[in-house]
Amino acid sequence: MIITTPKEFDHILSNLRDVDAESVFLVGCGSCATVAKTGGEPELLAAAAKLQEAGYTVLGHTVGTEITCNVGGTRSTIRKNAEVIREADAVIVFACGSGVQTVAEFVDVPVFPALDSVFLGAIVRQGEFSERCRMCGDCILDKTAGICPLTQCPKGLLNGPCGGMWDGMCEVIPDHECAHVRIQRRLEKQHRLQPISLPPKNYGVSLKPGHVNIRKPRVRKSLSDRSESGEKNTARTQGER
Amino acid sequence: MGRFREKLEVGEFVITGEVAPPRGNNCDRMLAEVKAYASVADAVNITDNQGATLHLSALAASRLTLDTGLVEPVFQQTCRDRNRLALESDLLAASTYGLENFLAVTGDNPHAGDHPQAKGVFDIDSTQLIRVACDLNEGHDMNGNPIDGATDFYVGAAAFPEAEPWDIQKRRIAGKIDAGARFFQTQACMDIEVFARRVLEIKDMGAHVIAGVLLLKSERTINFINNRLAGLMVSDSVAREIISAKDPYETSVRIAIEQAKVLFEVADGIHMMPLGDIETGVGILREAGVVSK
Ligand code: SF4
Ligand code: SF4
């Protein structure tokens, strides 16, 4: 899931001051931000109280069961609340960056993020999350015993350990075991032969912004092929090789 | 072919030093250090934004060093600040400047330096960078496409003989040799017995080893190394010996001389790191009989 953390409350206030807002409407997210306890019903109620204390009128809020980054769902949520939102000077969204942008698409007044989207992570236990994947578009977990060096090594090295490793521990986060030591040990345990070194990663596959459409067959042309045939670059799909 | 490469390849003992480019554009201190090394060193490493802190570019500083005509530079590149395109392009530039000796290192994380907000690039790692330099030597880029001309780098890498787990370190060293590294400059020696044994193991793998000797100087230096320098740790026994000595500086000099004597027998060279006291470093090498008095 997408892990989010709350922005400083003062940061939100300064955004509101910038547009001379007096009244606001709050949007949460029924999925990731609810699990992360950053954009669910309780967090929105708490934020509403703080905003009111700071002198703002909170016209209403919605979390819904929908995920905020669902374009269709968010469109109808906004429509349902259209009248109230029209009265608001600003909308504050308690969701990941994708959710904030989805809301912004359907709202005319300024939309501000209440959260920072920090990583794609695993739920270690309730309220504790850890990053597992950078969504590089070219997964190499098959070669690294199911441990992602791009994410678990702070330097994102494919071949390690670096010169900072000490006693099996990481230079950058000294209380973490070096990702490359973990990878080698697990590969050994599985009696797997590994290449002596991995080649550089192909970052060309993760062209931004990513776009996938499973209803349309994958376009497997390279960018240069496309420009020759006059096709637009937007026809690409993430993950094509 | 430069003398440094020639000596290593024919099995003559080499001495290297290390110089940081200035934190600014005044190169007086750097050139004075280069001069101080020149009497004994076959080459001097020019570090690349060492410790992830801002310095003059290693490329420019390497060229300035070469232009002195006093000693060969070893041009260092880290993978931290530039992507593959920039690294390749700078390697081509280095070649046009006549730089020949090249050392590929990973680089410290930006968070440890004076620009902690910087994005650590690490588009490729040091093993992959070694291969890139060898690709250019073969007249093509890292994607196999021909370049106009070919470079002639003598490619080296860093090694950390005392880091545990050794089997994993050794594997990494093998990867670097497989990628094309011909020589290693090592992290500083701490426990000479373990260190010497592993130097021999690396040599057996088919590469030349230039062993690091560090002047530990004082309790302050030791604390700095243990707390601030990535990776390196001064072993308790060595630290105790120096700190409890009547004259810690003299004791650290004696330890360095003893290490240099052993390394003269087992390694292919010594990489002297006297932490600014270059004259003392040179004296250590003379005392150990590594260079003539
Ligand atoms: S290799 Fe790429 S896709 Fe696979 S886990 Fe790592 S970042 Fe994610
Ligand atoms: S010690 Fe290991 S995990 Fe940490 S930065 Fe170096 S290679 Fe990566």
Side-chain angles (χ1 to χ4, degrees), chain A residues 59-74:
Chain A
L59 296 172
H61 75 271
T62 172
V63 176
T65 48
E66 283 284 359
I67 51 175
T68 312
C69 57
N70 178 347
V71 176
T74 295

Side-chain angles (χ1 to χ4, degrees), chain A residues 143-145 147 149 179-188:
Chain A
K143 301 199 173 50
T144 57
I147 298 166
H180 288 281
V181 172
R182 285 171 53 207
I183 290 169
Q184 291 305 327
R185 289 289 178 253
R186 193 181 285 174
L187 284 168
E188 273 162 32

Side-chain angles (χ1 to χ4, degrees), chain B residues 146-227:
Chain B
I147 57 169
D148 191 354
T151 60
D152 185 24
F153 290 114
Y154 190 46
V155 183
F160 196 170
E162 280 171 271
E164 301 291 349
W166 172 237
D167 61 318
I168 286 176
Q169 283 294 329
K170 209 173 152 183
R171 202 188 133 72
R172 182 85 201 286
I173 290 167
K176 288 180 177 181
I177 294 173
D178 180 66
R182 292 293 304 139
F183 68 92
F184 285 93
Q185 287 175 300
T186 78
Q187 189 60 278
C189 167
M190 291 295 153
D191 180 333
I192 184 70
E193 263 174 53
V194 179
F195 189 92
R197 215 170 37 239
R198 290 180 179 172
V199 164
L200 290 172
E201 281 185 59
I202 302 172
K203 282 174 66 171
D204 277 347
M205 292 159 79
H208 305 294
V209 182
I210 306 170
V213 171
L214 181 71
L215 185 61
L216 289 168
K217 289 186 184 179
S218 64
E219 184 169 3
R220 228 183 97 218
T221 312
I222 291 172
N223 288 339
F224 174 80
I225 290 166
N226 287 351
N227 301 328

Side-chain angles (χ1 to χ4, degrees), chain A residues 154-169 171-172 180-182 184-185 188 194-203, chain B residues 84 106-109 111 121-125 127-128 131 142 160 162-165 167-169 171-172 174-175 178-179 187 230-233:
Chain A
K155 294 180 186 174
L157 307 176
L158 263 54
N159 297 294
C162 71
M165 186 273 284
W166 184 258
D167 248 348
M169 304 306 272
E171 162 196 335
V172 184
H180 288 281
V181 172
R182 285 171 53 207
Q184 291 305 327
R185 289 289 178 253
E188 273 162 32
Q194 330 89 43
I196 189 75
S197 61
L198 295 174
K201 267 195 80 66
N202 178 6
Y203 288 104
Chain B
R84 61 190 83 184
T106 304
D108 297 322
N109 211 48
H111 293 129
V121 179
F122 303 113
D123 179 26
I124 56 176
D125 60 45
T127 306
Q128 294 159 349
R131 200 174 293 274
M142 64 186 290
F160 196 170
E162 280 171 271
E164 301 291 349
D167 61 318
I168 286 176
Q169 283 294 329
R171 202 188 133 72
R172 182 85 201 286
D178 180 66
Q187 189 60 278
L232 196 58
M233 285 285 182

